[in-house]
Amino acid sequence: DQQVKQNSPSLSVQEGRISILNCDYTNSMFDYFLWYKKYPAEGPTFLISISSIKDKNEDGRFTVFLNKSAKHLSLHIVPSQPGDSAVYFCAASKRGAQKLVFGQGTRLTINP
Amino acid sequence: DAMVIQNPRYQVTQFGKPVTLSCSQTLNHNVMYWYQQKSSQAPKLLFHYYDKDFNNEADTPDNFQSRRPNTSFCFLDIRSPGLGDAAMYLCATSRGGNTQYFGPGTRLTVL
């Protein structure tokens, strides 16, 4: 049972445009959500997170939106840059839990 | 800079020959994790330590063991590596909360 799903295995976006990566979850007990970015042959890098008490969190070019009723979150990257080309994982956890549940990842390619 | 360090970055071993991967951290986090990642799949949690308390995932094979001699270091021992154990092994740490910080990983090849 996959509790966190990223339904798009890949996404291609033109440089300078907006990249939108989506993530759905099924467990209503999840209350903290994170996005990680991973380059080949490297470990995932923490990007941005959001608590369930918020519906938006912004950090520079990166904004995460959370829609609790739809159990959906999205990561917006504006403007997209070539260095943003990577695999993006969303992850979720429950308050007090020490474990994350990861989605399968979306490979983002930024085209010049 | 505070960080999570993994050694070696690349490890080649022979089928059935025990191998140990190491992880150290300067973040002083109390929780340390070991993940296995194949291709670009989601990282799969093998086990984690909350301080000295060891927490094994139910589906982690007995072939995988771990040691945490102190706060800073954690080791992953693969007793008899099979071809199916070839993967990237990731170490992560957290302060007992939700955000985990990953090391660069060790790429294991089994010949």
Side-chain angles (χ1 to χ4, degrees):
Chain A
D1 174 31
Q2 202 172 343
Q3 299 184 67
V4 178
K5 296 180 185 179
Q6 294 176 256
N7 291 318
S8 298
S10 63
L11 176 67
S12 188
V13 174
Q14 199 169 1
E15 182 179 358
R17 307 292 291 268
I18 183 171
S19 295
I20 300 176
L21 296 103
N22 294 303
C23 180
D24 297 296
Y25 61 96
T26 57
N27 191 334
S28 58
M29 298 296 289
F30 288 146
D31 60 3
Y32 192 75
F33 305 89
L34 309 90
W35 284 95
Y36 285 86
K37 173 181 177 180
K38 187 180 183 304
Y39 292 121
E42 294 185 15
T45 302
F46 170 68
L47 206 52
I48 192 169
S49 62
I50 188 166
S51 163
S52 60
I53 62 172
K54 294 185 174 183
D55 53 18
K56 177 182 174 181
N57 190 25
E58 201 169 347
D59 184 1
R61 296 186 298 114
F62 302 92
T63 303
V64 56
F65 295 92
L66 176 62
N67 182 333
K68 290 185 290 292
S69 60
K71 294 192 179 70
H72 176 84
L73 65 153
S74 60
L75 174 68
H76 292 212
I77 307 173
V78 181
S80 300
Q81 298 175 354
D84 296 329
S85 295
V87 177
Y88 289 79
F89 290 96
C90 72
S93 74
K94 296 179 256 189
R95 185 176 302 281
Q98 295 136 29
K99 297 194 284 189
L100 296 177
V101 179
F102 283 88
Q104 293 297 100
T106 297
R107 181 178 300 277
L108 175 66
T109 302
I110 306 301
N111 301 308
Chain B
D1 282 343
M3 54 198 306
V4 182
I5 302 160
Q6 289 189 244
N7 286 305
R9 293 292 311 275
Y10 300 90
Q11 176 73 58
V12 180
T13 190
Q14 290 181 331
F15 183 93
K17 186 173 180 182
V19 66
T20 295
L21 310 182
S22 97
C23 177
S24 64
Q25 54 133 340
T26 60
L27 297 162
N28 204 31
H29 285 171
N30 55 338
V31 190
M32 293 187 78
Y33 306 81
W34 279 105
Y35 288 87
Q36 179 191 67
Q37 186 177 32
K38 295 187 176 181
S39 300
S40 283
Q41 297 176 17
K44 179 182 182 299
L45 182 64
L46 297 173
F47 24 60
H48 74 279
Y49 277 93
Y50 191 109
D51 293 321
K52 294 183 179 180
D53 293 334
F54 178 69
N55 299 271
N56 198 28
E57 293 301 297
D59 58 353
T60 298
D62 292 340
N63 199 23
F64 292 86
Q65 304 285 317
S66 185
R67 297 169 282 135
R68 189 180 185 186
N70 54 52
T71 302
S72 301
F73 285 87
C74 196
F75 299 97
L76 170 63
D77 300 307
I78 308 176
R79 293 194 297 189
S80 181
L83 298 178
D85 297 327
M88 173 78 86
Y89 290 87
L90 297 164
C91 174
T93 73
S94 79
R95 214 181 345 237
N98 304 107
T99 304
Q100 295 182 18
Y101 297 90
F102 286 83
T106 295
R107 167 72 63 190
L108 178 68
T109 300
V110 181
L111 301 177

